[in-house]
Amino acid sequence: MSTIELTRRYQFSASHRLHAQQLSAEENRRIYGKCNNPMGHGHNYWLEVTVSGPVDPQTGRAISPSMLDRLVEATILRELAYSNLNEVVEHFAFQPPTTENLALVIQQRLLERWPQWFSGEIRLVRIRLEETRRNIIESEP
Amino acid sequence: MSTIELTRRYQFSASHRLHAQQLSAEENRRIYGKCNNPMGHGHNYWLEVTVSGPVDPQTGRAISPSMLDRLVEATILRELAYSNLNEVVEHFAFQPPTTENLALVIQQRLLERWPQWFSGEIRLVRIRLEETRRNIIESEP
Amino acid sequence: MSTIELTRRYQFSASHRLHAQQLSAEENRRIYGKCNNPMGHGHNYWLEVTVSGPVDPQTGRAISPSMLDRLVEATILRELAYSNLNEVVEHFAFQPPTTENLALVIQQRLLERWPQWFSGEIRLVRIRLEETRRNIIESEP
Amino acid sequence: MSTIELTRRYQFSASHRLHAQQLSAEENRRIYGKCNNPMGHGHNYWLEVTVSGPVDPQTGRAISPSMLDRLVEATILRELAYSNLNEVVEHFAFQPPTTENLALVIQQRLLERWPQWFSGEIRLVRIRLEETRRNIIESEP
Amino acid sequence: MSTIELTRRYQFSASHRLHAQQLSAEENRRIYGKCNNPMGHGHNYWLEVTVSGPVDPQTGRAISPSMLDRLVEATILRELAYSNLNEVVEHFAFQPPTTENLALVIQQRLLERWPQWFSGEIRLVRIRLEETRRNIIESEP
Amino acid sequence: MSTIELTRRYQFSASHRLHAQQLSAEENRRIYGKCNNPMGHGHNYWLEVTVSGPVDPQTGRAISPSMLDRLVEATILRELAYSNLNEVVEHFAFQPPTTENLALVIQQRLLERWPQWFSGEIRLVRIRLEETRRNIIESEP
């Protein structure tokens, strides 16, 4: 059986403020610039989730795309869409909500549920998070 | 002399919360849905500014694009980029920061300064504001 | 009150075969080329619906975007998404399903329901249908 | 019969140097900045040609798209694709090859041939020339 | 000699119906949803073909892009463009024409001809097939 | 500490002429076609630079994006933006300025400065250069 990769793309709009609690106000401004503005700002994030698996000869698919959509909806989009990331994501009470950290949070959430949703042959290959057309983060488990 | 239209595109990231002060909490939720979430959310806005004017036979241009860039930077981007719209735009102390109202605010600001910056032959034709790829507002003075 | 234009974008995937019943097989092949292939082909269509109206000072909106979405869903997308246009659109039993005719059918359907859905101040301004990135049809009522 | 607008998009890559002969070297540098660099630079131009006409009830089309393609190929792309605009366009021996002037040249060339190619009902509505995603010129005859 | 990867992008429009012969009508509807509609639907597919090879110091290229274009035209586009995939691709008489299977068919066809067209240093690295902006398949030989 | 990849995108407009000195005029025309036109042509190049590194638990970042921007500005964009590549890049006095060679030049320049700018944990992963939407080169050190 041939193995392929399937990528699904999702968009969500959220706001955030880049601020590290362990750093002084001056350091925060120096490191994050205008992204440290007290009231925050926001983005239309494009999330790509890539999975791999063998193509089932009967259905011609490695994975049900609607199941992946449901998992992403349940664990990511329901909470993050139209949200303030600093507020709704528990991890961001302690860590700055950079795109880097957001990608790792999303990856972690998907990995935790993965064994319940998909068989062992289906692997989470990559998370890609596009904050703007010029700033993109990728993470591999 | 031939008249042409020049369009320049700008991007800025900002956050907002859709909330109308004269309406009840229930009405706000019904009208704006998740866009009424208390802590707000955000977008990468694409702003297009279109001007028209006769093409100068010597320079081959109707308008200096860098002058338009400077006007937009000074009156729009400096304040709105990486901002919370509800906070930084005075008008949004009284009006909800919908894309419709934001387009009108931008148009109003440009019109106020226009006579100082450009000759009478140069006209502000249109403001186009893309909040997401699926929601776009256009306004003509 | 200021008047603005709101544009919403929708995508649907459909198939069609360009064939005019009143023309001979040779004429059909000459006019439509490979688009006349007997078994048809398909596209991801991008539909843009543009409406205009005065901005309500209380809500900051000219129109409820979710109402427009529901009207487009009910009259256009429910039937056309994942369909064969020659089969599902009654008009295409008699007329070839060109992008031109499809835009006119969509416009006609929206105009018929318009008075029930929106007040007289809200006007359907334009339908824009992108068949491919290189072939685009626009229609104004 | 209903009238619609058809837009076709074309891409070509060309180089140019912005330089006005009647101006001094200093003025040229001040007006055009780095676009005045002696050896020139280049772009991938996107050209949109929009025509309007009544939809023929038999063919479902206002115009043959392949005829428009052939006209644009013959009068525009054959000469401009992979060219240096200052060299190949006679008009740019006297005028700077700005996007504004290039749009007017393209419009002029299409208008000259129009009566030979299309019936009186078919009108050239608009030329749109995108030099970069942030700099766009539109011209209407 | 340095090794690089070259990617070429192609678009073709085709229709298909997702239907697995070994499954019941109910199972087909459950698995494929509206993609199982009897008359089919269609897409504008974007195909990316990625090859790798050492850069020739004389020509500055690893591969002639026009040769790759000719191979893709001859083995893929000539048959698939403006086609019904279920009809024209022999493999889809037995297998459902999912994007997964289509990517594997394209890869197989290129691999079969590869040794005749390119030297051993030139390798087919990857096939990427974008059915819609939200559904993407990648395959590596 | 988790390792992620960060990609930044840059655009620059430049012109070039594909011509290999060691080849005859006929061979140059045969290999490069219209890209060998004597006066050259040009493109809007999109450059993507991808780096990897461990995410700093305090700042939530692997690398300062503005430092990468400054390095790319200093070593690549300052010279290449609005330039003629054959003229300004010393390497192209001897080698044809293909996208392949341009990617290798950019990679080489970044690698030379890398140790001065970034710690050993930060790695240059990939250069991606998009000449047009249909012609893309990737290079890995």
Side-chain angles (χ1 to χ4, degrees):
Chain A
M1 273 195 294
S2 306
T3 291
I4 53 86
E5 284 187 9
L6 166 78
T7 297
R8 302 282 288 176
R9 301 179 91 231
Y10 309 91
Q11 189 171 60
F12 62 92
S13 297
S15 61
H16 67 163
R17 183 206 180 188
L18 297 189
H19 189 83
Q21 296 177 327
Q22 304 95 320
L23 302 175
S24 69
E26 281 78 6
E27 284 175 306
N28 269 296
R29 267 197 298 277
R30 184 179 54 76
I31 292 174
Y32 300 117
K34 298 187 92 174
C35 300
N36 184 241
N37 279 352
M39 297 301 300
H41 61 285
H43 299 286
N44 302 323
Y45 292 91
W46 280 102
L47 168 65
E48 289 185 17
V49 179
T50 300
V51 309
S52 73
V55 177
D56 180 307
Q58 205 168 44
T59 66
R61 281 182 171 161
I63 187 180
S64 157
S66 61
M67 271 194 69
L68 183 56
D69 291 356
R70 253 180 294 151
L71 174 60
V72 172
E73 172 63 29
T75 59
I76 313 294
L77 301 180
R78 191 172 301 158
E79 194 180 77
L80 269 49
Y82 300 99
S83 82
N84 177 293
L85 299 174
N86 302 55
E87 292 292 318
V88 303
V89 179
E90 194 187 336
H91 188 68
F92 295 150
F94 315 103
Q95 295 284 329
T98 57
T99 315
E100 288 83 341
N101 277 337
L102 183 54
L104 292 173
V105 163
I106 289 171
Q107 177 180 282
Q108 185 56 29
R109 288 186 179 190
L110 293 177
L111 284 177
E112 278 165 13
R113 312 283 189 92
W114 208 257
Q116 293 173 269
W117 283 67
F118 299 110
S119 76
E121 287 170 312
I122 309 296
R123 211 163 54 79
L124 178 62
V125 174
R126 200 184 312 113
I127 294 296
R128 186 180 181 277
L129 198 52
E130 194 177 309
E131 192 190 54
T132 67
R133 273 175 63 84
R134 308 199 167 203
N135 200 55
I136 300 155
I137 297 295
E138 285 184 70
S139 172
E140 298 188 12
Chain B
M1 274 197 295
S2 306
T3 290
I4 54 86
E5 284 187 9
L6 167 77
T7 297
R8 301 283 286 176
R9 301 179 91 232
Y10 310 91
Q11 189 172 58
F12 61 92
S13 297
S15 62
H16 68 163
R17 181 205 181 189
L18 297 189
H19 189 83
Q21 297 176 326
Q22 304 94 322
L23 301 176
S24 69
E26 282 78 6
E27 283 176 305
N28 269 297
R29 268 197 296 277
R30 184 180 53 75
I31 292 174
Y32 301 117
K34 297 188 93 176
C35 300
N36 184 241
N37 279 353
M39 297 301 300
H41 62 284
H43 299 286
N44 302 323
Y45 291 92
W46 280 102
L47 168 65
E48 289 185 17
V49 178
T50 300
V51 309
S52 73
V55 177
D56 180 307
Q58 206 168 43
T59 65
R61 281 182 171 161
I63 186 180
S64 157
S66 61
M67 270 194 68
L68 184 57
D69 291 356
R70 253 181 295 153
L71 174 60
V72 171
E73 172 63 29
T75 59
I76 312 294
L77 301 180
R78 191 171 300 159
E79 193 179 80
L80 268 49
Y82 300 99
S83 82
N84 178 293
L85 299 174
N86 302 57
E87 292 292 319
V88 303
V89 179
E90 194 187 336
H91 188 68
F92 295 150
F94 315 103
Q95 295 283 329
T98 56
T99 314
E100 288 83 341
N101 276 338
L102 183 55
L104 293 172
V105 164
I106 289 171
Q107 177 180 281
Q108 185 55 28
R109 288 185 179 192
L110 292 177
L111 284 177
E112 278 165 15
R113 312 285 189 90
W114 208 256
Q116 294 173 266
W117 284 66
F118 298 111
S119 75
E121 287 170 312
I122 310 296
R123 210 163 54 79
L124 178 62
V125 174
R126 198 182 314 113
I127 292 295
R128 186 181 181 278
L129 198 52
E130 194 176 309
E131 192 190 54
T132 68
R133 273 176 62 84
R134 308 200 166 203
N135 200 53
I136 301 154
I137 297 295
E138 286 184 69
S139 172
E140 298 187 12
Chain C
M1 275 195 297
S2 306
T3 291
I4 53 87
E5 284 186 9
L6 167 77
T7 297
R8 302 284 286 177
R9 301 179 91 230
Y10 309 91
Q11 189 171 58
F12 61 93
S13 297
S15 62
H16 67 165
R17 182 205 181 188
L18 297 189
H19 189 83
Q21 297 177 327
Q22 304 95 321
L23 302 175
S24 69
E26 281 79 5
E27 283 175 304
N28 269 297
R29 267 198 296 278
R30 184 180 53 75
I31 293 174
Y32 300 118
K34 297 188 92 176
C35 300
N36 184 241
N37 279 353
M39 297 301 300
H41 61 286
H43 299 286
N44 302 323
Y45 292 91
W46 280 102
L47 167 65
E48 289 185 16
V49 178
T50 300
V51 309
S52 73
V55 178
D56 180 308
Q58 206 169 42
T59 67
R61 281 181 169 160
I63 186 180
S64 158
S66 60
M67 272 194 67
L68 183 56
D69 291 357
R70 254 180 295 152
L71 174 60
V72 172
E73 172 64 29
T75 59
I76 313 294
L77 302 180
R78 191 171 300 160
E79 194 179 79
L80 269 49
Y82 301 100
S83 82
N84 177 293
L85 299 174
N86 303 55
E87 291 292 318
V88 302
V89 179
E90 194 187 336
H91 188 67
F92 296 150
F94 315 103
Q95 295 283 330
T98 57
T99 315
E100 289 83 340
N101 276 339
L102 183 55
L104 292 173
V105 163
I106 289 171
Q107 178 180 280
Q108 185 56 29
R109 288 186 180 190
L110 292 177
L111 284 177
E112 278 166 15
R113 312 285 189 89
W114 208 256
Q116 294 172 266
W117 283 66
F118 299 111
S119 75
E121 288 170 310
I122 310 295
R123 210 163 55 79
L124 178 62
V125 175
R126 200 183 312 114
I127 293 296
R128 185 181 182 278
L129 198 53
E130 193 177 310
E131 192 190 53
T132 68
R133 275 175 61 84
R134 309 199 166 204
N135 200 54
I136 301 155
I137 297 296
E138 286 184 70
S139 171
E140 298 187 12
Chain D
M1 273 195 296
S2 306
T3 292
I4 53 85
E5 284 187 8
L6 167 78
T7 297
R8 302 283 286 177
R9 302 180 90 229
Y10 310 91
Q11 189 171 58
F12 62 93
S13 297
S15 61
H16 67 163
R17 182 205 181 190
L18 297 190
H19 188 84
Q21 297 177 325
Q22 305 95 322
L23 302 176
S24 69
E26 281 78 5
E27 283 175 306
N28 269 296
R29 267 198 297 277
R30 183 181 54 75
I31 292 174
Y32 300 118
K34 297 187 92 175
C35 300
N36 183 241
N37 279 353
M39 298 300 300
H41 62 284
H43 299 286
N44 302 323
Y45 292 91
W46 279 103
L47 167 65
E48 290 184 17
V49 178
T50 300
V51 310
S52 73
V55 177
D56 180 307
Q58 205 169 43
T59 66
R61 282 182 170 160
I63 185 179
S64 158
S66 60
M67 272 195 67
L68 183 57
D69 291 356
R70 253 180 295 152
L71 173 60
V72 172
E73 172 62 30
T75 58
I76 314 292
L77 301 181
R78 191 171 300 160
E79 193 179 77
L80 270 48
Y82 300 99
S83 83
N84 177 293
L85 299 174
N86 302 57
E87 292 293 319
V88 302
V89 179
E90 194 187 336
H91 188 67
F92 295 149
F94 315 103
Q95 294 284 327
T98 57
T99 315
E100 288 83 341
N101 276 339
L102 183 54
L104 293 173
V105 164
I106 289 171
Q107 177 180 281
Q108 185 56 28
R109 288 185 179 190
L110 293 177
L111 284 178
E112 279 165 13
R113 313 285 189 89
W114 208 256
Q116 294 173 268
W117 282 67
F118 298 110
S119 76
E121 286 171 313
I122 309 296
R123 212 163 53 79
L124 178 62
V125 175
R126 199 183 312 115
I127 293 296
R128 186 181 180 278
L129 198 53
E130 194 176 309
E131 191 189 54
T132 67
R133 274 175 62 84
R134 307 198 169 206
N135 200 53
I136 301 154
I137 297 295
E138 286 184 69
S139 171
E140 298 186 12
Chain E
M1 273 194 297
S2 306
T3 291
I4 54 87
E5 285 186 8
L6 166 78
T7 297
R8 301 284 287 176
R9 300 178 93 230
Y10 309 91
Q11 189 171 59
F12 61 92
S13 297
S15 61
H16 67 163
R17 182 205 181 190
L18 297 189
H19 189 84
Q21 296 176 327
Q22 304 95 320
L23 302 176
S24 69
E26 281 78 5
E27 283 174 305
N28 269 296
R29 268 197 297 277
R30 184 181 52 76
I31 292 174
Y32 300 118
K34 298 186 92 176
C35 300
N36 183 241
N37 279 352
M39 297 301 300
H41 61 286
H43 299 286
N44 302 323
Y45 292 91
W46 280 103
L47 167 65
E48 290 184 17
V49 179
T50 300
V51 309
S52 73
V55 177
D56 179 308
Q58 204 168 47
T59 65
R61 280 182 171 162
I63 187 181
S64 157
S66 60
M67 271 195 67
L68 183 57
D69 291 356
R70 253 180 295 152
L71 174 60
V72 172
E73 172 63 29
T75 59
I76 313 294
L77 301 180
R78 191 171 301 157
E79 193 179 80
L80 269 50
Y82 300 100
S83 81
N84 177 294
L85 299 174
N86 302 57
E87 291 292 318
V88 302
V89 179
E90 193 188 335
H91 188 68
F92 295 150
F94 315 103
Q95 295 284 328
T98 56
T99 315
E100 288 84 341
N101 277 337
L102 183 54
L104 293 173
V105 163
I106 289 171
Q107 177 180 282
Q108 185 56 29
R109 288 185 179 190
L110 293 177
L111 283 177
E112 278 166 14
R113 313 283 189 91
W114 208 256
Q116 293 173 269
W117 284 67
F118 299 110
S119 76
E121 287 171 312
I122 309 296
R123 211 163 55 78
L124 178 62
V125 175
R126 201 183 310 114
I127 294 296
R128 187 181 181 277
L129 197 52
E130 194 177 308
E131 192 189 54
T132 67
R133 274 174 61 83
R134 308 200 166 203
N135 200 54
I136 301 155
I137 297 296
E138 287 184 69
S139 172
E140 298 187 13
Chain F
M1 275 196 294
S2 306
T3 292
I4 54 87
E5 284 187 9
L6 167 78
T7 297
R8 302 282 288 176
R9 302 180 90 231
Y10 309 92
Q11 190 172 58
F12 61 92
S13 297
S15 61
H16 68 164
R17 181 205 183 190
L18 297 189
H19 188 83
Q21 296 177 326
Q22 304 96 321
L23 302 176
S24 69
E26 280 79 5
E27 283 175 305
N28 269 296
R29 268 197 297 278
R30 182 180 54 76
I31 292 174
Y32 300 119
K34 298 187 92 176
C35 301
N36 182 242
N37 279 353
M39 297 302 300
H41 62 285
H43 299 286
N44 302 323
Y45 291 91
W46 278 103
L47 167 65
E48 289 184 17
V49 179
T50 300
V51 309
S52 73
V55 177
D56 179 308
Q58 204 168 46
T59 65
R61 281 181 170 163
I63 186 180
S64 157
S66 60
M67 271 194 68
L68 183 57
D69 291 356
R70 253 180 295 152
L71 174 60
V72 172
E73 172 62 31
T75 59
I76 313 294
L77 302 180
R78 191 171 300 158
E79 194 179 80
L80 269 50
Y82 300 100
S83 83
N84 177 295
L85 299 174
N86 302 56
E87 292 292 319
V88 302
V89 180
E90 193 187 336
H91 188 69
F92 295 150
F94 315 103
Q95 295 284 328
T98 56
T99 316
E100 288 83 342
N101 277 338
L102 183 55
L104 292 173
V105 164
I106 289 171
Q107 177 180 281
Q108 185 56 28
R109 288 185 179 191
L110 293 177
L111 283 177
E112 278 166 14
R113 312 285 190 90
W114 208 255
Q116 294 173 267
W117 283 66
F118 299 110
S119 76
E121 287 170 312
I122 309 297
R123 212 165 53 79
L124 178 62
V125 174
R126 200 184 311 114
I127 294 295
R128 185 181 181 279
L129 198 52
E130 194 177 309
E131 191 189 55
T132 67
R133 273 176 62 84
R134 308 201 167 203
N135 200 54
I136 300 155
I137 297 294
E138 285 184 70
S139 172
E140 298 188 12

